[in-house]
Amino acid sequence: MIETTTLFAPATGPARAAVSVIRISGPNAAAVIRALAPPLPVPRRLSLRTLRMPDGDPLDEALVAWMPGPASFTGEDMAELHLHGGLAVRTAVLRALAEIPGCQPAEPGAFTRRAFLNGRLDLTEAEGIADLIDAETEAQRRQALRQLDGALGRQVADWRTRLIDLLAGVEAALDFSDEGDVDDAALDAALSQRARAIRDQIAAVLADGHRGERLRDGFTVVLAGPPNAGKSTLLNALSRREAAIVSDLPGTTRDVIEVRCDLGGLPVILVDTAGLRAATDAIEAEGIRRTRARMAQADLIVMLEGPDAERDSKPTPDPGGPVLHVRTKCDLGLGDSSNDTDCIAISALTGAGLDRLLAAIEARAAQAIGSGDALITRERHRLGLSRCRDHLDRLLAGAPLPELAAEDLRLAVRALGEVAGHVGVEEMLDRLFAGFCIGK
Ligand code: GDP
């Protein structure tokens, strides 16, 4: 894979900072350093240089790193400029780079895409990088690092190699079947046994209760209950910021409001919803429709009810799915505020009971996410592995003709190849890398 363009992009965020890093990758990387900060430094050692415009005008005092390919992140010649972190410095250097022939600004994810295309990492490792950058909690960081380290990629590669071996065996048997010296029955038994072993391992990985996806996407907790039960006030108290509008007019939370938080290292998304009641206008009706949609997808519903005196006669309908019942406003001293095992009494105003509620949510999240050592972290992986398992199931269902067995094996190998990115699906790559940041 030979690229002719040389990419450059800031690798650090756009805010004012002590240092800002610009990355350069491609065939002209050495020429860029020679143009802005000659001579070329010793590979992989930082050198202090004055960066200058072609007319000699100084741009900045910077540390320059030169990382010749193929042993670089992208596999190409690369350079890094560690500038002073001012916005004007960065803008001036980016402008100077844009004027160097063959250089162009990088799209989001362009460096990782080149690393992938040059075989420096497989698709699951590239996703691991994206997840590591997006990781907000400790458990997410650990999971992303495991994926970047190749935990999923290695396992998929192992299954794929074993299936390719089986396929080679079947194809050889097909080639020699006319010669009458191949024992078909013996081959079938050995093939089935080895295919079944792989099939069972894939099935075991798939039966992970979606732990990896939950950890990556967050454990969703929907705060539900009638208007004025105290949902918005609780969300604010829990997230310790004014994220939701609190108001004593029923029906003010007309949309769904989300707050991401870190409970014991696990990512939890708290969702405040429009009150569940008969809508008085179209906007509120839409809010209620969204509430029901979020409740249907929730990992946990925290069902709030005001004190007895505030409750209407009809009980809130059972939303289905896992529910935690909470009695709000226990500071008012109305009704029965005793903590029974099924219901946690809280006051968002005084903070009473909030620790107990958080501990209960954290326990549910920990139970759902488990130890977080799942291999599958995205729907994409799950689809590929499920397809592979289905092809193996078909293979194992009967005593197939060798031609059909070969076809099932080929499709199973292909499904694994898609997970690792061996089977290039250009559109999927575009979507995936567009989700990265610029400079990565
Ligand atoms: P929502 O409609 O369920 O989101 O309810 P809000 O959070 O907007 O609260 C409705 C009213 O109840 C507001 O006037 C809040 O100040 C009040 N409220 C909420 N939580 C508490 C609480 O713990 N104690 C008391 N005394 N009032 C509360």
Side-chain angles (χ1 to χ4, degrees), residues 225-235 245-253 272-273 275 304 310 328-332 346-351:
N228 268 337
K231 298 179 290 298
S232 307
T233 314
L234 174 62
L235 184 73
I245 312 149
V246 182
S247 147
D248 51 9
L249 291 174
T252 358
T253 310
D272 180 19
T273 55
L304 305 189
E310 275 189 12
T328 57
K329 311 184 191 179
C330 68
D331 57 287
L332 293 179
I346 62 158
S347 165
L349 287 194
T350 65

Side-chain angles (χ1 to χ4, degrees), residues 38-50:
L40 209 56
V42 177
R44 284 166 254 280
R45 292 257 184 92
L46 288 175
S47 306
L48 182 63
R49 295 284 153 86
T50 303

